[in-house]
Amino acid sequence: MNSTHSGPQAAPRADEAERDGIRGIKLSSVRLPLAVPVSDAKVLTGRQRPMTEVALLFAEITTQNGHEGIGFTYSKRAGGPGQYAHAREVAPELIGEDPSDIGRLWTKLVWAGASVGRSGLATQAVAAFDVALWDLKAKRAGLPLAKLLGAHRDSVRCYNTSGGFLHTPVEDLVSNASASLAGGVGGVKIKVGHPDHKEDLRRLARVREELGDDVPLMADANQQWDRPTARRMGRALEDFGLVWLEEPLDAYDSEGHAALAAALDTPVATGEMLASVAEHWELIRAGGADVIQPDAPRIGGITQFLRLAALAEHRHLQLAPHFAMEIHLHLAAAYPYEPWVEHFDWLEPLFSERLEIRDGRMRVPFRPGLGITLSERAREWTREECRITSRP
């Protein structure tokens, strides 16, 4: 009997695989208005003004074979126009390139703007392209980004921050926290750093009293304590059973964070304001964080986040990425140790889809890529846009 079974097929050679090139890029500068001005400890110390909007840079990449990817980065209070301007300058470097070569393209874009540095605003602009390329790659594979990266789980623990700012009256803190938990969120973060430290303790005590001892509770000082204050407040906060104490010191005080982490039972979390993998490595090497909180848009995108995640895993650190849950959900799902994702509802109007949250966890969407598309509101809030289809 003749058999039609020919055995497993060999994978296509590299020269037989789909060949593609980047055909065009659309950049959009979007200003997202916040419902009410937002204040944390940086405002109460006079270092910043209340936040009234978030500036976002979107990159939409299309290829010759019809594939598409979307990515974004952001800035708060200042820097949005600069990110857009830098992205517009370096974007032509991508035209004609193979979108699969993400690591090489990240390096190419960074060197195209190397005279202004390899961290901060320059690489934050590059992050929008990098995220878009990863989104495109996952879509081409027909997989959610988490699955493309190698997911360890299909959902991630999540906590809410947007209801716990310092401008919020204490009874509203309580009602916001209760509403978040009722909506499926698993934990609550409350801002601290009030000039009257007793007020911080009073607000936290009221929230803990209302929520009970079993609800995960975090506190965030937004870098506004000096070392003696952080030690005193850290000891005073031990009784609240916090999941972590966040940014008790200046973001670049690695030694101070390390000493505090060694002195407290409460885990110390920080990292969101650092703008490169190198800066995070200084923190990690010093032992300055029990919980590392990188922000993919701030450090240059997903490519850099994955490098940092490998360093964090090597040191057995907990992971709790900052903001941008639409990106970080996928990255946290691919981290070996059980992480947290920060729930902020601010960006939700920008997208046509909503992330599913229930039983204390945020679910990885089944949609390919990041699983997001821009909404009509995002188009309405666009201040400036351009299309790049050729090299200069």
Side-chain angles (χ1 to χ4, degrees), residues 148-233:
L148 180 74
L149 297 176
H152 286 264
R153 58 194 65 82
D154 294 325
S155 66
V156 180
R157 294 180 297 181
C158 63
Y159 68 96
N160 177 265
T161 294
S162 48
F165 278 83
L166 278 177
H167 68 270
T168 308
V170 65
E171 290 308 315
D172 289 344
L173 283 183
V174 171
S175 60
N176 290 345
S178 298
S180 293
L181 296 173
V185 170
V188 174
K189 186 167 76 180
I190 303 299
K191 297 289 186 175
V192 294
H194 197 283
D196 181 354
H197 302 320
K198 293 180 180 178
E199 180 66 10
D200 283 334
L201 299 176
R202 184 180 75 85
R203 287 161 65 88
L204 273 172
R206 180 70 184 91
V207 173
R208 177 55 89 193
E209 176 188 24
E210 180 68 22
L211 301 185
D213 293 335
D214 295 332
V215 172
L217 183 64
M218 302 83 165
D220 183 0
N222 288 108
Q223 307 179 76
Q224 297 309 293
W225 290 336
D226 57 23
R227 291 185 181 187
T229 302
R231 286 195 297 271
R232 287 194 296 268
M233 289 299 293

Side-chain angles (χ1 to χ4, degrees), residues 118-311:
R118 286 185 278 175
S119 68
L121 185 149
T123 48
Q124 288 163 12
V126 169
F129 301 114
D130 185 79
V131 173
L133 289 170
W134 279 103
D135 179 57
L136 189 156
K137 192 168 193 174
K139 286 175 178 174
R140 191 162 63 178
L143 295 171
L145 177 61
K147 293 293 186 181
L148 180 74
L149 297 176
H152 286 264
R153 58 194 65 82
D154 294 325
S155 66
V156 180
R157 294 180 297 181
C158 63
Y159 68 96
N160 177 265
T161 294
S162 48
F165 278 83
L166 278 177
H167 68 270
T168 308
V170 65
E171 290 308 315
D172 289 344
L173 283 183
V174 171
S175 60
N176 290 345
S178 298
S180 293
L181 296 173
V185 170
V188 174
K189 186 167 76 180
I190 303 299
K191 297 289 186 175
V192 294
H194 197 283
D196 181 354
H197 302 320
K198 293 180 180 178
E199 180 66 10
D200 283 334
L201 299 176
R202 184 180 75 85
R203 287 161 65 88
L204 273 172
R206 180 70 184 91
V207 173
R208 177 55 89 193
E209 176 188 24
E210 180 68 22
L211 301 185
D213 293 335
D214 295 332
V215 172
L217 183 64
M218 302 83 165
D220 183 0
N222 288 108
Q223 307 179 76
Q224 297 309 293
W225 290 336
D226 57 23
R227 291 185 181 187
T229 302
R231 286 195 297 271
R232 287 194 296 268
M233 289 299 293
R235 288 193 293 266
L237 295 175
E238 297 274 33
D239 292 340
F240 290 104
L242 299 177
V243 177
W244 67 66
L245 173 60
E246 184 171 331
E247 285 198 313
L249 298 168
D250 183 275
Y252 292 91
D253 186 3
S254 298
E255 292 181 356
H257 276 104
L260 188 65
L264 299 179
D265 291 333
T266 301
V268 170
T270 190
E272 68 178 67
M273 294 304 298
L274 302 182
S276 68
V277 173
E279 292 170 4
H280 277 86
W281 177 236
E282 287 300 312
L283 177 69
I284 293 171
R285 186 164 56 183
D290 302 298
V291 185
I292 197 77
Q293 297 183 297
D295 185 314
R298 282 184 176 163
I299 65 173
I302 292 170
T303 298
Q304 294 301 95
F305 189 101
L306 296 176
R307 294 172 180 171
L308 174 56
L311 296 173

Side-chain angles (χ1 to χ4, degrees), residues 18-24 60-69 99 136-137 139-141:
E18 179 185 8
R19 296 182 180 181
D20 204 355
I22 295 174
R23 181 183 65 194
E60 297 171 80
I61 296 177
T62 57
T63 74
Q64 296 164 358
N65 292 349
H67 299 293
E68 298 179 352
L136 189 156
K137 192 168 193 174
K139 286 175 178 174
R140 191 162 63 178

